[in-house]
């Protein structure tokens, strides 16, 4: 499912609408809403919208649980931290109980952080009949999503829910949710904007069979198909873009 919007702001409003609706539906049905936030720059406008009226008061924050799809292995006050970005744009401005925020500890070693995060995820899932209601994801120009990168062993795991990602000369060490966890979310929504993503989007959406090595292609939700919220620039190379 693909929705294309004239500009990033219209896409962000659509994402905020979806977030608020998903949250209310989940809380009505199961008493809580568990969401894995995306990092990077694309979702910041959506998070800012959610922190303000009219969205802020539409969301039952006391029953919202915040997780992350991935995190860089840096302290929480580091400018590269996904946790820091989410707190500055959203979490510091809404009445969410602190215990409902489940960050990845970027000060631990990647493996220790992944194991600690996985333990927390499994405990939450056991206490709440299942884990994610919504997974928000972005994609990189190399087709990575969360911190699932082309050629990494993280793509083929079947048992682990969270895994460490080694640093390279172009990226920090990270922790990522794995495809099985993301694919079992009730909703998977990709937020993609900008002309720089047009080519990789075309490969992922129009030709997945010949691009199976791309992590975003590995995200095949068990509950149906992922939703792609795109702006017109990102959709430029798609047939209906
Ligand atoms: C991260 C993100 C990553 C991001 C993409 C797109 O930690 O970097 O989780 O997967 O979603 O790299 O990033 P932009 O939105 O900044 O283009």
């Amino acid at each position: 499912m693909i929705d294309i919007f004239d500009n990033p702001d219209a896409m962000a409003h659509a994402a905020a609408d979806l977030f608020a609706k998903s949250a209310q539906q989940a809380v009505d049905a199961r008493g809580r809403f568990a969401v894995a936030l995306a990092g990077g720059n694309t979702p910041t406008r959506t998070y800012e919208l959610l922190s303000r009226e009219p969205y802020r008061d539409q969301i039952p924050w006391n029953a919202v649980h915040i997780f992350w799809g991935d995190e860089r292995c840096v302290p929480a006050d580091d400018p590269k931290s996904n946790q820091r970005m989410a707190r500055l744009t959203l979490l510091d401005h809404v009445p969410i109980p602190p215990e409902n925020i489940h960050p990845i500890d970027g000060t631990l070693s990647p493996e220790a952080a992944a194991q600690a995060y996985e333990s927390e995820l499994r405990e939450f899932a056991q206490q709440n009949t299942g884990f994610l209601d919504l997974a928000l994801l972005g994609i990189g120009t190399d087709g990575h999503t969360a911190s699932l990168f082309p050629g990494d062993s993280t793509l083929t795991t079947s048992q682990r829910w969270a895994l460490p990602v080694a640093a390279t000369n172009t990226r920090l060490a990270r922790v990522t949710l794995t495809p099985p966890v993301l694919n079992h979310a009730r909703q998977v929504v990709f937020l993609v904007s900008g002309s720089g993503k047009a080519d990789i989007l075309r490969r992922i959406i129009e030709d997945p069979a010949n691009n199976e090595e791309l992590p975003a292609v590995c995200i095949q939700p068990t509950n149906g198909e992922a939703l792609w919220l795109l702006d017109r620039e990102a959709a430029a190379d798609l047939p209906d873009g």
Side-chain angles (χ1 to χ4, degrees):
M1 174 85 170
I2 299 170
D3 285 343
I4 300 172
F5 300 89
D6 285 341
N7 54 60
D9 194 57
M11 186 194 79
H13 275 85
D17 287 333
L18 181 145
F19 185 106
K21 182 180 172 187
S22 299
Q24 196 57 62
Q25 285 177 340
V27 172
D28 290 346
R30 291 175 295 282
R32 74 356 177 235
F33 173 61
V35 55
L37 298 180
N41 299 311
T42 302
T44 55
R45 179 67 179 127
T46 298
Y47 300 165
E48 288 166 351
L49 289 172
L50 292 169
S51 74
R52 301 177 194 142
E53 298 315 326
Y55 297 104
R56 186 179 188 276
D57 283 356
Q58 293 175 11
I59 296 166
W61 294 107
N62 64 310
V64 174
H65 285 265
I66 299 288
F67 298 87
W68 276 264
D70 69 324
E71 182 57 280
R72 296 83 179 271
C73 292
V74 293
D77 60 355
D78 187 297
K80 295 185 179 65
S81 165
N82 286 337
Q83 177 188 172
R84 176 178 181 272
M85 180 271 279
R87 287 186 184 277
L88 291 178
T89 55
L90 174 57
L91 302 178
D92 289 351
H93 311 287
V94 295
I96 186 169
E99 64 272 20
N100 286 18
I101 300 173
H102 309 271
I104 299 166
D105 185 346
T107 62
L108 301 175
S109 72
E111 179 55 43
Q115 288 186 9
Y117 193 48
E118 175 157 339
S119 299
E120 184 165 4
L121 303 183
R122 288 180 181 275
E123 183 180 347
F124 182 88
Q126 195 170 18
Q127 292 172 357
N128 291 275
T129 60
F131 177 31
L132 285 177
D133 295 296
L134 174 63
L136 293 179
L137 293 170
I139 58 164
T141 52
D142 61 353
H144 81 258
T145 190
S147 284
L148 301 165
F149 290 91
D152 275 10
S153 58
T154 51
L155 298 178
T156 54
T157 182
S158 60
Q159 301 302 320
R160 292 291 297 271
W161 289 22
L163 279 174
V165 180
T168 65
N169 57 6
T170 56
R171 73 170 188 244
L172 295 167
R174 295 156 171 249
V175 172
T176 188
L177 289 184
T178 58
V181 172
L182 293 169
N183 286 334
H184 278 84
R186 286 184 170 83
Q187 269 187 304
V188 176
V189 179
F190 285 92
L191 307 179
V192 190
S193 70
S195 58
K197 305 289 177 70
D199 180 58
I200 197 69
L201 258 183
R202 176 190 55 75
R203 291 174 58 194
I204 293 165
I205 293 178
E206 294 302 305
D207 192 14
N210 291 316
N211 288 281
E212 289 178 341
E213 77 285 356
L214 298 179
V217 174
C218 300
I219 303 304
Q220 301 292 333
T222 53
N223 278 12
E225 61 178 25
L227 171 62
W228 295 81
L229 300 185
L230 312 175
D231 71 355
R232 200 156 295 291
E233 283 192 358
D237 293 355
L238 299 180
D240 51 1

